[in-house]
Amino acid sequence: MKRGKIYKEKAQLVNKTTLYDTVDALDLVVKTTVAKFDETVEAHVRLGVDSRHADQQVRGAVVLPHGTGKKIRILVFAKGDKANEAEQAGADYVGAEELVTKIQSENWFEFDVVVATPDMMGVVGRIGRVLGPKGLMPNPKAGTVTMDIAKAVEEIKAGKIEYRLDRANIIHVPIGKVSFGAEKLKENFLTLMGAIIKAKPSAAKGTYLRSVVLACTMGPGIKVNPVRITE
């Protein structure tokens, strides 16, 4: 892959063989931003588990203290009073069967998160094959299947993110924007890592945190020392 002059200059600030403490890593993330836009800072966490086994799944949600810096569009499947609650809480789209039809017929995906009341999961299940691959299927573990619709919407708007393993046993999540600065990014990152560590499956053997890498959208990856996350 060809890299631009600015990227190459910024990449020289990073020692690829060094495992940085959290504060140093985040300072480098801010310093190695390349783009003119406000880049997203991402965490990539490889775990010592096997996602093929149900008892080694790692999935959940956590509210980042400073949010992600991104405007999240929420679609809610609900009816009656619950639909009203969703609208009052700030959901961007609220409905039932008509939303399923819109997604099926128009290939409409102008939303980032889907929330549903339990009684609507039969309806949502009709489009599970298209929501699932996009990571949009509501799930009780992530708090997106709930009767407390207002709380779910408010938390997501406030910066709640979902984390889950991919097939390579890696979690990829945004932890904020470069403009947040190292201190706010640190608080978000430590909140995320605390949740991931707490979610360690009892069936997991050996080293749980295999590798942790931080990077902004266009910048180089910076390795964080997994045994010194809080430093």
Side-chain angles (χ1 to χ4, degrees):
M1 182 183 295
K2 285 189 175 182
R3 298 291 191 180
K5 180 181 178 181
I6 296 177
Y7 177 92
K8 291 179 180 178
E9 290 176 353
K10 295 294 182 72
Q12 289 179 358
L13 298 173
V14 182
N15 187 327
K16 294 182 179 180
T17 62
T18 297
L19 295 178
Y20 292 93
D21 290 344
T22 297
V23 173
D24 295 333
L26 287 167
D27 280 337
L28 278 173
V29 168
V30 175
K31 290 176 181 177
T32 54
T33 180
V34 175
K36 294 181 179 179
F37 60 86
D38 191 8
E39 296 184 52
T40 296
V41 179
E42 303 164 352
H44 307 276
V45 184
R46 184 165 68 92
L47 300 179
V49 297
D50 189 341
S51 60
R52 293 174 298 178
H53 300 291
D55 62 352
Q56 294 188 46
Q57 288 291 329
V58 178
R59 180 175 186 173
V62 62
V63 178
L64 300 180
H66 304 287
T68 63
K70 178 183 177 182
K71 183 180 183 300
I72 303 298
R73 301 164 298 177
I74 304 174
L75 182 154
V76 175
F77 284 96
K79 290 182 176 180
D81 291 341
K82 292 301 175 181
N84 293 333
E85 283 182 26
E87 291 175 350
Q88 292 173 8
D92 298 273
Y93 309 101
V94 182
E97 286 83 354
E98 72 279 7
L99 291 177
V100 171
T101 301
K102 184 176 179 66
I103 291 169
Q104 289 175 324
S105 62
E106 301 177 22
N107 195 34
W108 176 70
F109 289 98
E110 299 299 318
F111 47 89
D112 305 295
V113 179
V114 179
V115 180
T117 53
D119 60 299
M120 291 300 298
M121 286 306 293
V123 174
V124 178
R126 300 175 196 170
I127 49 175
R129 290 184 178 180
V130 294
L131 293 181
K134 293 179 180 292
L136 293 170
M137 192 67 182
N139 185 286
K141 290 184 179 179
T144 47
V145 177
T146 177
M147 287 300 290
D148 198 344
I149 288 293
K151 180 181 178 182
V153 171
E154 289 166 358
E155 286 186 340
I156 293 168
K157 290 288 186 180
K160 185 177 184 178
I161 59 166
E162 181 180 356
Y163 58 86
R164 60 186 299 183
L165 290 172
D166 65 9
R167 292 182 179 179
N169 302 315
I170 302 174
I171 291 173
H172 309 272
V173 285
I175 60 168
K177 296 286 187 178
V178 169
S179 62
F180 283 16
E183 189 57 37
K184 288 184 177 180
L185 288 170
K186 176 187 175 183
E187 291 179 22
N188 277 0
F189 175 64
L190 293 182
T191 298
L192 167 69
M193 292 307 300
I196 292 175
I197 291 170
K198 187 176 180 180
K200 179 182 178 180
S202 57
K205 305 298 181 183
T207 303
Y208 182 54
L209 296 179
R210 292 289 179 86
S211 69
V212 181
V213 177
L214 294 171
C216 51
T217 308
M218 306 294 288
I222 299 161
K223 298 176 183 177
V224 182
N225 190 336
V227 300
R228 299 183 59 166
I229 290 295
T230 59
E231 300 179 34

